[in-house]
Coordinates of all heavy atoms in Angstrom, one line a residue:
N1 N -1.8 11.3 6.2 CA -0.8 12.4 6.2 C 0.3 12.0 7.1 O 0.1 11.9 8.3 CB -1.3 13.7 6.6 CG -2.4 14.2 5.6 OD1 -2.1 14.4 4.4 ND2 -3.6 14.4 6.1
V2 N 1.5 11.7 6.6 CA 2.7 11.3 7.4 C 3.9 12.1 6.9 O 4.0 12.5 5.8 CB 2.9 9.8 7.4 CG1 1.7 9.1 8.0 CG2 3.2 9.3 6.0
A3 N 4.9 12.1 7.8 CA 6.2 12.7 7.4 C 7.0 11.7 6.6 O 6.8 10.4 6.7 CB 6.9 13.1 8.6
V4 N 7.9 12.1 5.8 CA 8.8 11.2 5.1 C 9.5 10.3 6.0 O 9.9 10.6 7.1 CB 9.9 12.1 4.3 CG1 10.9 11.2 3.7 CG2 9.2 12.9 3.3
G5 N 9.5 9.0 5.7 CA 10.2 8.0 6.5 C 9.3 7.2 7.5 O 9.7 6.3 8.1
F6 N 8.0 7.6 7.6 CA 7.1 7.0 8.5 C 6.3 5.9 7.7 O 5.8 6.2 6.6 CB 6.2 8.0 9.2 CG 6.8 8.7 10.3 CD1 7.6 9.9 10.1 CD2 6.8 8.2 11.6 CE1 8.2 10.5 11.1 CE2 7.4 8.9 12.6 CZ 8.1 10.1 12.4
S7 N 6.0 4.8 8.4 CA 5.3 3.7 7.7 C 3.7 4.0 7.8 O 3.2 4.4 8.8 CB 5.6 2.4 8.4 OG 4.9 1.4 7.9
V8 N 3.1 3.6 6.7 CA 1.6 3.7 6.7 C 1.1 2.2 6.4 O 1.7 1.5 5.6 CB 1.1 4.6 5.6 CG1 -0.4 4.6 5.5 CG2 1.6 6.0 5.8
S9 N 0.1 1.8 7.2 CA -0.4 0.4 7.0 C -1.7 0.5 6.3 O -2.5 1.4 6.4 CB -0.7 -0.2 8.4 OG 0.5 -0.3 9.1
F10 N -1.9 -0.6 5.4 CA -3.1 -0.7 4.6 C -3.7 -2.1 4.8 O -3.0 -3.0 4.9 CB -2.8 -0.5 3.1 CG -2.2 0.8 2.8 CD1 -0.8 1.0 2.9 CD2 -3.0 1.9 2.4 CE1 -0.2 2.3 2.6 CE2 -2.4 3.1 2.1 CZ -1.1 3.3 2.2
Q11 N -5.0 -2.1 4.7 CA -5.8 -3.4 4.8 C -6.8 -3.4 3.7 O -7.6 -2.5 3.6 CB -6.4 -3.6 6.2 CG -7.3 -4.8 6.3 CD -7.9 -4.9 7.7 OE1 -7.6 -4.2 8.6 NE2 -8.9 -5.7 7.7
S12 N -6.8 -4.5 2.9 CA -7.8 -4.5 1.8 C -9.1 -5.0 2.4 O -9.2 -5.6 3.4 CB -7.3 -5.5 0.7 OG -7.3 -6.8 1.3
Q13 N -10.2 -4.6 1.7 CA -11.6 -5.0 2.0 C -12.2 -5.4 0.7 O -13.0 -4.6 0.1 CB -12.3 -3.9 2.7 CG -11.8 -3.6 4.1 CD -12.7 -2.6 4.8 OE1 -13.2 -1.6 4.2 NE2 -12.8 -2.8 6.1
I14 N -11.8 -6.5 0.2 CA -12.3 -7.0 -1.1 C -13.4 -8.0 -0.9 O -13.2 -9.0 -0.2 CB -11.1 -7.6 -1.9 CG1 -10.0 -6.6 -2.1 CG2 -11.6 -8.2 -3.3 CD1 -8.7 -7.2 -2.7
N15 N -14.5 -7.8 -1.5 CA -15.6 -8.8 -1.4 C -15.6 -9.6 -2.7 O -15.4 -9.2 -3.8 CB -17.0 -8.1 -1.3 CG -17.1 -7.3 0.0 OD1 -16.6 -7.8 1.0 ND2 -17.6 -6.1 -0.1
G16 N -16.0 -10.9 -2.5 CA -16.1 -11.8 -3.7 C -14.8 -12.5 -3.9 O -13.8 -12.4 -3.3
R17 N -14.9 -13.4 -5.0 CA -13.7 -14.2 -5.3 C -12.7 -13.4 -6.1 O -13.0 -12.7 -7.0 CB -14.2 -15.3 -6.2 CG -13.2 -16.3 -6.5 CD -13.8 -17.5 -7.4 NE -12.9 -18.6 -7.5 CZ -13.0 -19.7 -6.7 NH1 -14.0 -19.8 -5.9 NH2 -12.2 -20.6 -6.9
V18 N -11.4 -13.5 -5.6 CA -10.3 -12.7 -6.2 C -9.3 -13.7 -6.7 O -8.8 -14.5 -5.9 CB -9.8 -11.7 -5.2 CG1 -8.5 -11.0 -5.8 CG2 -10.8 -10.7 -4.8
S19 N -8.8 -13.5 -7.9 CA -7.7 -14.4 -8.4 C -6.3 -13.7 -8.2 O -5.3 -14.4 -8.1 CB -7.9 -14.7 -9.9 OG -8.0 -13.6 -10.7
A20 N -6.3 -12.4 -8.1 CA -5.0 -11.7 -7.8 C -5.3 -10.3 -7.4 O -6.4 -9.8 -7.6 CB -4.2 -11.7 -9.1
S21 N -4.4 -9.7 -6.7 CA -4.5 -8.3 -6.3 C -3.2 -7.6 -6.3 O -2.1 -8.3 -6.3 CB -5.2 -8.2 -4.9 OG -4.3 -8.7 -3.9
S22 N -3.2 -6.3 -6.3 CA -1.9 -5.6 -6.2 C -2.1 -4.2 -5.6 O -3.2 -3.6 -5.7 CB -1.3 -5.4 -7.6 OG -2.1 -4.5 -8.4
W23 N -1.1 -3.8 -4.9 CA -1.0 -2.4 -4.3 C 0.0 -1.6 -5.0 O 1.1 -2.1 -5.2 CB -0.6 -2.5 -2.8 CG -1.4 -3.3 -1.9 CD1 -1.3 -4.6 -1.5 CD2 -2.5 -2.7 -1.1 NE1 -2.2 -4.9 -0.6 CE2 -3.0 -3.8 -0.3 CE3 -3.1 -1.5 -1.0 CZ2 -4.0 -3.6 0.6 CZ3 -4.1 -1.3 -0.1 CH2 -4.6 -2.4 0.7
D24 N -0.4 -0.5 -5.5 CA 0.5 0.4 -6.2 C 0.6 1.7 -5.4 O -0.4 2.4 -5.1 CB 0.0 0.8 -7.6 CG 0.9 1.7 -8.4 OD1 1.7 2.4 -7.8 OD2 0.7 1.7 -9.6
F25 N 1.8 2.0 -4.9 CA 2.0 3.1 -3.9 C 2.3 4.4 -4.5 O 2.6 5.4 -3.8 CB 3.0 2.7 -2.9 CG 2.6 1.5 -2.0 CD1 3.1 0.2 -2.2 CD2 1.6 1.7 -1.0 CE1 2.7 -0.8 -1.5 CE2 1.2 0.6 -0.3 CZ 1.7 -0.7 -0.5
G26 N 2.3 4.5 -5.8 CA 2.5 5.8 -6.5 C 3.9 6.3 -6.6 O 4.1 7.4 -7.1
D27 N 4.8 5.5 -6.1 CA 6.3 5.9 -6.2 C 7.1 4.9 -6.9 O 8.3 4.8 -6.8 CB 6.8 6.2 -4.8 CG 6.8 5.0 -3.9 OD1 6.2 3.9 -4.3 OD2 7.3 5.1 -2.8
G28 N 6.5 4.0 -7.7 CA 7.2 2.9 -8.4 C 7.2 1.6 -7.7 O 7.6 0.6 -8.2
V29 N 6.7 1.5 -6.4 CA 6.6 0.3 -5.7 C 5.3 -0.3 -5.8 O 4.2 0.3 -5.6 CB 7.0 0.5 -4.2 CG1 6.8 -0.8 -3.4 CG2 8.4 1.1 -4.0
V30 N 5.2 -1.6 -6.2 CA 4.0 -2.4 -6.4 C 4.2 -3.7 -5.7 O 5.3 -4.4 -5.9 CB 3.6 -2.6 -7.8 CG1 2.4 -3.5 -8.0 CG2 3.4 -1.3 -8.6
V31 N 3.3 -4.2 -4.9 CA 3.3 -5.5 -4.2 C 2.1 -6.2 -4.6 O 1.0 -5.6 -4.8 CB 3.5 -5.4 -2.7 CG1 4.9 -4.8 -2.3 CG2 2.4 -4.7 -2.0
S32 N 2.2 -7.5 -4.7 CA 1.0 -8.3 -5.2 C 0.5 -9.3 -4.2 O 1.3 -9.9 -3.4 CB 1.5 -9.1 -6.4 OG 1.8 -8.2 -7.5
N33 N -0.7 -9.6 -4.2 CA -1.4 -10.7 -3.5 C -1.2 -10.7 -2.0 O -0.8 -11.7 -1.4 CB -1.0 -12.1 -4.1 CG -1.3 -12.2 -5.6 OD1 -2.4 -11.7 -6.0 ND2 -0.5 -12.8 -6.4
R34 N -1.4 -9.5 -1.4 CA -1.3 -9.3 0.0 C -2.5 -8.6 0.5 O -2.8 -7.5 0.1 CB -0.1 -8.5 0.4 CG 1.3 -9.1 -0.1 CD 2.4 -8.2 0.4 NE 3.6 -8.7 -0.2 CZ 4.8 -8.1 -0.1 NH1 4.9 -7.0 0.6 NH2 5.9 -8.6 -0.7
P35 N -3.2 -9.2 1.5 CA -4.4 -8.5 2.1 C -4.0 -7.4 2.9 O -4.8 -6.4 3.1 CB -5.1 -9.6 2.9 CG -4.0 -10.6 3.2 CD -3.0 -10.6 2.0
Y36 N -2.8 -7.4 3.5 CA -2.3 -6.3 4.3 C -0.9 -5.8 3.7 O -0.2 -6.6 3.1 CB -2.0 -6.8 5.7 CG -3.1 -7.4 6.4 CD1 -3.3 -8.8 6.4 CD2 -4.1 -6.6 7.0 CE1 -4.4 -9.3 7.0 CE2 -5.2 -7.2 7.7 CZ -5.3 -8.5 7.7 OH -6.4 -9.1 8.3
A37 N -0.7 -4.5 3.8 CA 0.6 -4.0 3.3 C 1.0 -2.8 4.1 O 0.1 -2.2 4.7 CB 0.5 -3.6 1.8
S38 N 2.2 -2.5 4.1 CA 2.7 -1.2 4.7 C 3.7 -0.6 3.7 O 4.3 -1.3 2.9 CB 3.3 -1.4 6.1 OG 4.4 -2.3 6.0
H39 N 3.9 0.7 3.8 CA 4.8 1.4 2.9 C 5.4 2.6 3.6 O 4.7 3.3 4.4 CB 4.1 1.8 1.6 CG 5.0 2.3 0.6 ND1 5.9 1.4 -0.1 CD2 5.2 3.5 0.0 CE1 6.6 2.2 -1.0 NE2 6.2 3.4 -0.9
V40 N 6.6 2.9 3.2 CA 7.3 4.1 3.6 C 7.7 4.9 2.4 O 8.4 4.4 1.5 CB 8.6 3.8 4.5 CG1 9.4 5.0 4.8 CG2 8.2 3.0 5.7
W41 N 7.3 6.2 2.3 CA 7.7 7.0 1.2 C 9.0 7.7 1.5 O 9.2 8.2 2.7 CB 6.6 8.0 0.9 CG 5.5 7.4 0.1 CD1 5.3 7.3 -1.2 CD2 4.3 6.8 0.7 NE1 4.2 6.6 -1.5 CE2 3.5 6.3 -0.3 CE3 3.9 6.5 2.0 CZ2 2.3 5.6 -0.2 CZ3 2.7 5.9 2.2 CH2 1.9 5.4 1.1
L42 N 9.9 7.9 0.6 CA 11.2 8.5 0.8 C 11.3 9.9 0.4 O 12.3 10.5 0.5 CB 12.3 7.6 0.1 CG 12.3 6.1 0.5 CD1 13.3 5.4 -0.3 CD2 12.6 6.0 2.0
G43 N 10.2 10.5 -0.2 CA 10.2 11.9 -0.6 C 8.9 12.6 -0.3 O 7.9 11.9 -0.2
D44 N 9.0 13.9 -0.2 CA 7.8 14.7 0.0 C 6.9 14.6 -1.2 O 7.3 14.3 -2.3 CB 8.1 16.2 0.2 CG 8.8 16.4 1.5 OD1 8.6 15.6 2.5 OD2 9.5 17.5 1.6
G45 N 5.6 14.7 -1.0 CA 4.6 14.8 -2.1 C 3.3 14.2 -1.8 O 3.1 13.6 -0.7
D46 N 2.4 14.2 -2.7 CA 1.1 13.6 -2.7 C 1.2 12.3 -3.5 O 1.6 12.4 -4.7 CB 0.0 14.5 -3.2 CG -0.2 15.7 -2.3 OD1 0.0 15.6 -1.1 OD2 -0.5 16.8 -2.9
Y47 N 0.8 11.2 -2.9 CA 0.9 9.9 -3.6 C -0.5 9.3 -3.7 O -1.2 9.3 -2.7 CB 1.9 9.0 -2.9 CG 3.3 9.5 -2.9 CD1 3.8 10.2 -1.8 CD2 4.1 9.2 -4.0 CE1 5.1 10.6 -1.8 CE2 5.5 9.6 -4.0 CZ 5.9 10.4 -2.9 OH 7.2 10.8 -2.9

C-alpha cells in the first residue's frame, strides 16, 4: 500500500529453467526479462 508517486520494488522468485518472464503492473506498463523491477503508479486505485 503506497501513495501515488511512490516507488514499489519487486523481486522474482522463479524456480527452474525460464526462457522469458514479464511483469505486468496493471496500468498498461509491462517489462520483460528482469529478475528485479520497480514501478510508480500515477493514479489512485487497486492494481
Side-chain angles (χ1 to χ4, degrees):
N1 296 298
V2 295
V4 171
F6 283 86
S7 180
V8 179
S9 298
F10 300 88
Q11 178 182 342
S12 66
Q13 293 183 321
I14 302 169
N15 295 321
R17 188 177 191 101
V18 175
S19 58
S21 66
S22 67
W23 297 93
D24 182 337
F25 295 104
D27 62 354
V29 175
V30 177
V31 296
S32 298
N33 300 322
R34 298 183 189 175
Y36 305 96
S38 62
H39 189 68
V40 174
W41 284 269
L42 301 178
D44 289 337
D46 293 328
Y47 296 93

